[in-house]
Amino acid sequence: MIRSSFSIIFFCLILLFSNSIAFAQPSQPQTRFYIIKTNRLLGVAHMTVKRTQKFTGDLALAVRHERKALELYEAKDFANAIYHSRRCRTLCLKIFAENKIKLPMDAKYTADEEALAAQAPTEEVLDKNLENAALKDQDFMNGNMQVDIK
């Protein structure tokens, strides 16, 4: 009897703990690391577009998402910052594929990164209402992406 009660309580605690992990908000350090990794990939995507001169608009959209991620990070909205940074990475991966370049070593998502972005809205929702829609890939050929994290 005592053994079965202990098992039930233990099982309930495990369920409670696993649910709290699944819905946990990302921390400031996790978000910062996520954005920094995305910035590295964005730099490679920038150099790729600059070298190949294939202007599809994806670079400008990626920069706009990373800028939004930084804005949200500074406002301590870490979950939404990760969602926009992930959208930026997705666009960078698209640039790599379209230009047939080898993926950078850390381009793939880790299991932790997948978990942090599991609740992300659709790409259409994220793309909607971004600022500076008039920006084009060519606007960034001399750098000036303004995506450095503080």
Side-chain angles (χ1 to χ4, degrees), residues 6-144:
F6 178 74
S7 298
I8 292 171
I9 292 171
F10 184 70
F11 180 72
C12 289
L13 287 173
I14 289 175
L15 282 177
L16 181 66
F17 182 69
S18 65
N19 283 340
S20 67
I21 290 174
F23 298 111
Q25 292 295 313
S27 68
Q28 185 270 341
Q30 287 173 313
T31 307
R32 180 179 173 81
F33 182 76
Y34 199 103
I35 291 173
I36 288 170
K37 185 174 173 183
T38 302
N39 277 346
R40 287 194 307 264
L41 294 174
L42 185 57
V44 176
H46 169 257
M47 294 308 295
T48 300
V49 171
K50 187 173 183 176
R51 183 177 41 82
T52 63
Q53 297 291 301
K54 288 186 182 178
F55 303 120
T56 62
D58 290 334
L59 178 65
L61 185 56
V63 170
R64 291 171 50 218
H65 275 289
E66 194 66 354
R67 285 179 178 177
K68 184 69 172 179
L70 287 170
E71 176 186 314
L72 292 165
Y73 171 79
E74 290 172 3
K76 299 188 182 342
D77 186 354
F78 301 132
N80 283 313
I82 284 179
Y83 301 155
H84 280 278
S85 191
R86 180 182 176 86
R87 177 67 175 128
C88 175
R89 278 197 210 177
T90 302
L91 291 162
C92 290
L93 293 173
K94 184 178 175 190
I95 290 168
F96 301 151
E98 288 173 347
N99 289 283
K100 297 177 178 78
I101 70 158
K102 184 179 175 186
L103 289 179
M105 191 169 59
D106 61 348
K108 295 188 179 185
Y109 297 105
T110 66
D112 289 339
E113 290 170 338
E114 290 283 357
L116 288 172
Q119 301 297 320
T122 64
E123 292 176 351
E124 293 79 20
V125 169
L126 290 171
D127 291 349
K128 193 176 182 181
N129 301 322
L130 280 178
E131 297 176 12
N132 300 320
L135 289 174
K136 300 189 178 345
D137 290 352
Q138 295 89 327
D139 297 332
F140 302 108
M141 290 305 97
N142 293 324
N144 196 28

